[in-house]
Amino acid sequence: MASQAVSQLALSLTDAYQAALPKSKALYGQAQKIFPSGVTHDGRYMTPFPIYVKRAKGSRKWDEDDREYVDYWVGHGALILGHGHPVVLKAVQEQLEKGTHYGACHALEVEWGAQIIKMVPSAERVRFTSSGTEATLMAIRLSRAFSNKTRVVKFEGHFHGWHDNVAIGVNPPYEVPISPGLLDDVIGSVILCPPNDTKALEKILKEHHQDIACVIIEPTGGSYGMIPTDPAFLPELRRLTAQYGVILIFDEVITGFRVAPGGAQEFYKVKPDLTTMAKIVAGGLPGGAVAGRKDIMEYLEFKKDDPHWNRHKKMYHPGTYNANPLSASAGLTTLRILESGEDIQKANAIAKALRDGMNEVIRKLGVDWYVYGDFSDFHFLIGIDPAQASDPNFKVYNLDYHLLKGKANPDLIYKLRQGMILNGVDIMREGGMTSSAHTEEDVEITVKAFEATLRALQEEGSI
Ligand SMILES: Cc1ncc(COP(=O)(O)O)c(C=O)c1O
């Protein structure tokens, strides 16, 4: 691996970054003339420009300047087995030979769906989608069809994709929608609830349950655990939604098959009515799914007695890439590997070693940061008294959640990323995820990169 140390950083981090990645810089110059802000996903935007990756394998990826990185994006969380797992690769290559799209039902989709039902405790029926955004859109619409009610309860700081129904309460200030161009009626139908607040939830359900179709939650917490869920909250959420006759949706787009083979619902032993999945479910290829109670999923069935071409009793659901054979081959193979839980444990253990290592650096350098996470994830909490964080009874979910998301200065996060990239590590903004392909050597490289970056940030007065 190229040692890309920034120790001799006479230059600022940003200048050093620009000098070290000429090919990425040039590509970004071209991309800015093609894509808005030069990127194809808002989350990939960074200043002064993002890296351009040409190859990935296991826990590593390589950019156009041939620099090597330990990767903590892992395909936006989709690749819990790492890049190019040989068994998954073989399955996809074999499928590629047989055809990429039949425009027809196929045996692999049946196996794939059956595997989900086998692994996910609440899954009685499944429908595939092309993405996580489509999955949450579908679960919410199904809830409305089933309940004949309209409103949605979502938790502040939780992310469920980018369609209108969930485009509020994502980043602070939570009452301001995340985008222009949304329908006021749709946005207005969403009721925001503070995370982990049983009393607030009970009040909302008590007052509005006749209008509420569903409550949707990322079960381990907003933005894959950045605002962690108090485990005691989930049974209360289940109890209250059942009591008030409101559908409970677990958005397991990230936690599905990452937290446990059956997702967060298996880990916490709380069964939702509907579950949304994407990312790992399709093994790193595009895909998603909704699964859940048979009686709710029946709203996707054709009804012989519907005089209006199934418009009244059936939820309409086409989708060119639903259950695409390539995604099916990657997804089914990945899920089968994950069934034993071994890879999940491995990814969790690596993430814990990373968090411990980075927290040690934080203590050593006397920085007011803390690295937290519960599974194969890590998140940076910037601006916390280290004495508070080292209390053995300290629980991140007991902090005011307003401190946990959207507080970090974006320029500082970009500099943190620049420093880590210069030292051979690609983190996702204020955190990242691990895979079973990550190794102790990766942890060592990352902790060293973190120390070098924090020192550089201190030297230039950024922290
Ligand atoms: C919890 C959660 N739900 C939904 C989505 C949207 O999924 P997609 O990006 O596949 O549309 C994401 C994406 O990161 C997510 O993390």
Side-chain angles (χ1 to χ4, degrees):
M1 154 159 207
S3 155
Q4 301 133 353
V6 280
S7 51
Q8 64 285 59
L9 258 186
L11 298 169
S12 75
L13 267 179
T14 307
D15 289 343
Y17 182 88
Q18 305 232 40
L21 291 98
K23 288 193 177 159
S24 286
K25 188 177 178 180
L27 276 167
Y28 188 61
Q30 291 176 34
Q32 280 174 302
K33 296 183 193 117
I34 301 166
F35 310 122
S37 280
V39 292
T40 52
H41 182 309
D42 279 0
R44 294 180 203 146
Y45 175 80
M46 71 174 277
T47 61
F49 51 83
I51 59 168
Y52 281 75
V53 173
K54 64 177 176 186
R55 186 164 68 85
K57 185 76 195 159
S59 61
R60 308 286 176 101
K61 60 191 187 193
W62 289 263
D63 74 8
E64 291 286 345
D65 290 293
D66 286 319
R67 300 171 69 94
E68 182 174 337
Y69 303 100
V70 181
D71 176 35
Y72 293 107
W73 284 75
V74 289
H76 291 245
L79 296 166
I80 193 169
L81 302 175
H83 296 277
H85 186 285
V87 183
V88 180
L89 212 55
K90 187 164 174 280
V92 176
Q93 278 162 347
E94 282 172 10
Q95 183 56 45
L96 201 54
E97 293 291 326
K98 291 187 220 162
T100 59
H101 200 322
Y102 303 134
C105 301
H106 55 98
L108 215 50
E109 71 183 12
V110 181
E111 282 187 77
W112 191 19
Q115 187 68 25
I116 292 170
I117 289 176
K118 186 176 170 199
M119 291 173 76
V120 178
S122 67
E124 294 172 3
R125 291 287 185 275
V126 181
R127 202 26 115 77
F128 289 108
T129 64
S130 298
S131 70
T133 294
E134 283 183 36
T136 59
L137 173 66
M138 179 180 209
I140 289 171
R141 192 177 292 175
L142 261 179
S143 303
R144 290 189 172 128
F146 181 81
S147 65
N148 216 8
K149 299 189 278 181
T150 52
R151 302 193 77 174
V152 175
V153 177
K154 91 172 271 298
F155 293 95
E156 287 175 345
H158 288 224
F159 176 67
H160 305 292
W162 56 277
H163 58 84
D164 289 21
N165 281 304
V166 289
I168 189 163
V170 180
N171 295 315
Y174 292 119
E175 65 285 3
V176 179
I178 55 172
S179 168
L182 302 165
L183 295 170
D184 288 346
D185 283 355
V186 179
I187 286 298
S189 74
V190 178
I191 304 176
L192 295 178
C193 182
N196 294 319
D197 192 335
T198 306
K199 281 203 181 110
L201 177 69
E202 184 157 24
K203 187 166 181 290
I204 290 168
L205 291 177
K206 200 169 176 181
E207 283 172 16
H208 301 286
H209 66 98
Q210 279 128 331
D211 299 323
I212 297 172
C214 60
V215 178
I216 186 165
I217 186 168
E218 282 188 79
T220 65
S223 285
Y224 67 99
M226 201 173 195
I227 303 177
T229 298
D230 175 351
F233 179 69
L234 290 175
E236 289 297 287
L237 170 64
R238 179 64 286 185
R239 180 181 66 76
L240 287 168
T241 44
Q243 180 185 328
Y244 285 100
V246 168
I247 289 171
L248 175 58
I249 304 170
F250 271 13
D251 180 357
E252 298 236 37
V253 163
I254 287 194
T255 56
F257 317 102
R258 177 170 285 281
V259 161
Q265 57 197 273
E266 178 188 328
F267 188 87
Y268 289 115
K269 301 187 173 53
V270 174
K271 258 193 190 182
D273 301 301
L274 291 175
T275 301
T276 54
M277 290 162 258
K279 303 191 191 267
I280 295 172
V281 78
L285 268 71
V290 175
R293 268 168 48 187
K294 183 170 168 289
D295 58 337
I296 303 176
M297 297 296 287
E298 267 171 7
Y299 270 74
L300 288 157
E301 287 184 358
F302 289 89
K303 310 281 186 329
K304 284 203 182 89
D305 62 339
D306 189 336
H308 297 283
W309 288 90
N310 284 293
R311 273 189 219 173
H312 293 319
K313 295 185 182 174
K314 175 192 175 344
M315 183 188 142
Y316 180 62
H317 184 238
T320 300
Y321 290 102
N322 296 348
N324 172 264
L326 278 186
S327 303
S329 66
L332 176 62
T333 311
T334 299
L335 297 193
R336 283 186 175 149
I337 295 171
L338 292 173
E339 221 176 327
S340 75
E342 262 175 55
D343 286 86
I344 291 168
Q345 292 309 328
K346 214 175 148 204
N348 284 348
I350 287 289
K352 180 167 186 332
L354 260 183
R355 296 191 298 263
D356 290 350
M358 289 196 272
N359 279 325
E360 224 175 283
V361 169
I362 285 168
R363 280 193 289 275
K364 187 163 94 181
L365 301 189
V367 175
D368 63 345
W369 290 26
Y370 178 62
V371 187
Y372 63 97
D374 291 316
F375 302 98
S376 46
D377 56 334
F378 60 92
H379 313 270
F380 298 112
L381 174 48
I382 297 174
I384 179 157
D385 176 0
Q388 185 186 6
S390 57
D391 179 337
N393 294 321
F394 175 67
K395 298 278 183 223
V396 177
Y397 57 74
N398 285 333
L399 290 177
D400 176 356
Y401 67 95
H402 294 95
L403 299 172
L404 299 174
K405 195 177 172 191
K407 266 286 175 209
N409 168 1
D411 286 335
L412 177 60
I413 296 302
Y414 295 141
K415 281 189 179 178
L416 170 68
R417 286 202 61 205
Q418 290 160 20
M420 295 298 276
I421 287 169
L422 282 166
N423 285 281
V425 177
D426 193 23
I427 54 167
M428 290 171 73
R429 302 180 291 277
E430 302 106 305
M433 281 178 259
T434 56
S435 72
S436 59
H438 283 90
T439 62
E440 282 173 21
E441 191 199 0
D442 293 332
V443 174
E444 220 171 282
I445 291 167
T446 308
V447 172
K448 273 195 190 142
F450 187 58
E451 178 162 354
T453 303
L454 285 191
R455 283 188 191 281
L457 289 171
Q458 281 179 322
E459 270 164 38
E460 67 174 37
S462 294
I463 55 171

